[in-house]
Amino acid sequence: QRTFVCSTPSPAMAAGSTAFVASSGGHVAAPTWLALSPHQHCPPQASSSFVGPSVLVATSGAAATAVAALLALVAWPKRGRQRSWRARKTARKSIVAAVAAAASAAKLSAFGRAFALGATVAGSVAGIKEGVDGGPPRTHKSGGKPKVVVLGSGWGAATFMKGLSKDDAEMYDIKVISPRNFFLYTPLLPACTMGSVEERSIVTPVRRLIEGKAEYLEAKCESIDTVTKVVRCCRAGGPARSNDVNYERFPEGDVEGKLIFDVEYDILIYAVGAQTNDFNTPGVKENAFFFKEVQDAHKVREKVTDLFEMASLPTATKKDRDRLLSFVVVGGGPTGVEVAADLADFCERDAIDLYPNLREHIKITLINTGDNLLSTYDQSISKTCMEVFKQKGVEVMAGCRVVEITSDVVKMKRGKEGEIFELPFGCVVWAAGIKEHSLTNQLKASLIQKNE
């Protein structure tokens, strides 16, 4: 069974495409990795049932490049290189050792963005090393080229496809499957909130990235069967009205007209990333804006513009204006900090020029459960961030935990025993963290079942 995991963390966003294995910045617990690496951690009876490579994990851009290099090595015998299997095995382990050394150096010498990338590579190397013992897939059972399925179009998938040469890609039948048909440069997503950077400037079409290497299918993977080596995908057949461009393209459950199809694989590269974590806080899904995709930034921009226009109406009272122009960002990580900063820049410049009479009503609040912003970065960065926010008039509420979000107020308390108090808002952005993708749980269960 060959399953590559290239779920990579975003370098600058806590809500980015973060790995579920070999946790980046402590987002994911270790048991996930235990379940996915039976050779290394499971009891002997579980390990002995494996035939061939187990799970190859690449949870950062560097590790994804290493996976691409491994695929290239697998392709060597088909390209006329006269090497014994022992020699190719040695070459693979050399690459793994090099990646491990680079990862260790990155983990020890860097903080923040570099740490998030480097720390994940070290965890991934063990998975890659586990995959060298069973030999490469020669052909698909149909007699054709080995089939490779890449799930996702984020950092892991994009890095893997960029690292795979066209010559090596010709040795395989590769399909990239993702509901998002473009690669998103997530570090600049917060700058799209109020138009500091245009959305089209931070996206690259997937078909452009994989040109001459693979086929792209715009679909959502619903399940993975690691026994039969099949991924089940779905997509809506089309809108009920021909002029509806905002229809749900990837509906959940049984929906009329839903298209379902299966794709076989010999090698699965799992790079679906993570999803926003609301920590089961009441009202978050209903009343807050998540911030992980281009559509999220666009929705926030539309909401903020709408609030300013409503506050400009003569029917709005002072109390109404104070509430409408109260912008709340939950989360003191990179995403929350950058969204709050972009909002502050907009209110400090454009909003004052466009809505001069509303200046006194504008308020931006950043809520953070910890005492320091950007806690994974150096302390000096956190201190500078607080000073900049103070200059820009952004109120930072440290040590506060949100317990509920209603349609017009955020309810929170300080510490575990503090009293609950409320903060009225016009717009609230939730950037408090991420969790593993729901498909990941299904994949883990399938792998465990296969190896019992």
Side-chain angles (χ1 to χ4, degrees):
Q1 182 66 31
R2 297 172 174 85
T3 306
F4 296 75
V5 183
C6 298
S7 246
T8 174
S10 163
M13 297 182 63
S17 178
T18 306
F20 70 88
V21 181
S23 166
S24 130
H27 290 302
V28 187
T32 304
W33 166 244
L34 299 182
L36 285 173
S37 185
H39 270 301
Q40 185 173 358
H41 298 285
C42 287
Q45 59 268 26
S47 288
S48 61
S49 65
F50 270 77
V51 177
S54 176
V55 179
L56 305 191
V57 183
T59 53
S60 74
T65 303
V67 172
L70 289 175
L71 275 188
L73 284 170
V74 167
W76 277 9
K78 286 195 173 187
R79 297 172 61 185
R81 292 178 173 84
Q82 300 301 317
R83 284 198 172 201
S84 65
W85 170 242
R86 184 178 300 276
R88 293 196 303 276
K89 180 176 176 181
T90 302
R92 282 196 181 94
K93 290 189 174 181
S94 297
I95 288 181
V96 170
V99 175
S104 300
K107 186 173 181 180
L108 291 173
S109 64
F111 290 96
R113 183 176 306 179
F115 177 82
L117 285 172
T120 56
V121 181
S124 75
V125 170
I128 295 176
K129 195 170 183 179
E130 291 298 330
V132 302
D133 298 324
R138 302 298 180 181
T139 61
H140 183 254
K141 59 186 178 182
S142 64
K145 298 177 181 178
K147 294 182 180 293
V148 177
V149 170
V150 181
L151 294 180
S153 56
W155 288 92
T159 305
F160 167 75
M161 291 306 303
K162 290 290 287 184
L164 191 65
S165 70
K166 288 187 178 181
D167 288 341
D168 293 324
E170 287 180 359
M171 302 297 107
Y172 302 89
D173 178 7
I174 305 175
K175 285 183 173 63
V176 177
I177 303 173
S178 174
R180 191 178 68 187
N181 65 0
F182 57 86
F183 165 75
L184 172 64
Y185 189 77
T186 47
L188 288 180
L189 183 60
C192 292
T193 309
M194 295 312 301
S196 299
V197 174
E198 282 299 323
E199 297 158 1
R200 62 183 180 180
S201 301
I202 62 171
V203 299
T204 302
V206 170
R207 296 182 187 278
R208 186 72 64 190
L209 286 173
I210 66 174
E211 189 175 5
K213 298 180 182 179
E215 175 187 358
Y216 171 70
L217 302 176
E218 187 184 66
K220 177 183 177 181
C221 178
E222 286 193 324
S223 64
I224 303 170
D225 189 335
T226 58
V227 176
T228 60
K229 298 184 180 179
V230 169
V231 296
R232 172 151 292 187
C233 306
C234 71
R235 193 190 191 285
R241 303 188 311 274
S242 60
N243 64 346
D244 182 9
V245 296
N246 295 317
Y247 70 98
E248 179 56 57
R249 288 169 170 77
F250 311 101
E252 300 287 345
D254 295 329
V255 179
E256 184 179 356
K258 184 176 179 180
L259 305 176
I260 300 176
F261 58 93
D262 294 338
V263 180
E264 296 180 334
Y265 69 86
D266 293 302
I267 299 173
L268 175 64
I269 300 176
Y270 188 84
V272 300
Q275 60 191 58
T276 303
N277 192 351
D278 62 1
F279 300 98
N280 296 319
T281 306
V284 172
K285 292 180 180 178
E286 296 81 6
N287 302 302
F289 290 95
F290 290 159
F291 204 89
K292 194 172 183 297
E293 302 290 345
V294 169
Q295 297 92 325
D296 298 331
H298 191 254
K299 289 177 182 178
V300 172
R301 187 192 306 187
E302 286 188 343
K303 180 64 175 180
V304 171
T305 302
D306 186 52
L307 290 171
F308 271 99
E309 296 300 341
M310 290 177 63
S312 300
L313 297 175
T315 55
T317 65
K318 181 182 184 302
K319 184 178 180 181
D320 291 335
R321 293 187 175 113
D322 287 341
R323 182 186 66 81
L324 290 170
L325 300 182
S326 172
F327 305 108
V328 178
V329 180
V330 182
T335 306
V337 167
E338 291 178 22
V339 170
D342 199 62
L343 279 170
D345 288 341
F346 169 77
C347 293
E348 189 179 41
R349 300 169 187 170
D350 295 346
I352 300 306
D353 294 336
L354 298 173
Y355 309 96
N357 297 330
L358 300 178
R359 181 171 188 169
E360 62 181 286
H361 303 284
I362 300 173
K363 181 181 180 181
I364 301 174
T365 306
L366 179 61
I367 302 174
N368 185 35
T369 54
D371 295 328
N372 300 313
L373 299 177
L374 302 173
S375 57
T376 58
Y377 289 68
D378 187 79
Q379 188 69 27
S380 61
I381 296 178
S382 178
K383 183 179 179 181
T384 301
C385 184
M386 292 287 289
E387 294 173 353
V388 171
F389 276 151
K390 186 176 181 180
Q391 295 173 1
K392 290 182 175 292
V394 177
E395 180 182 0
V396 178
M397 303 184 70
C400 294
R401 183 170 65 89
V402 175
V403 296
E404 184 181 359
I405 299 178
T406 68
S407 59
D408 56 357
V409 298
V410 176
K411 297 181 180 181
M412 62 190 123
K413 63 179 181 180
R414 294 186 184 276
K416 294 182 179 180
E417 306 299 332
E419 294 185 0
I420 295 177
F421 60 99
E422 299 179 350
L423 175 66
F425 71 87
C427 175
V428 56
V429 178
W430 184 269
I434 58 172
K435 62 182 179 181
E436 63 185 23
H437 198 280
S438 57
L439 183 62
T440 303
N441 291 319
Q442 189 274 320
L443 173 60
K444 290 191 295 183
S446 180
L447 286 171
I448 293 172
Q449 180 182 3
K450 176 180 175 60
N451 297 297
E452 287 179 345

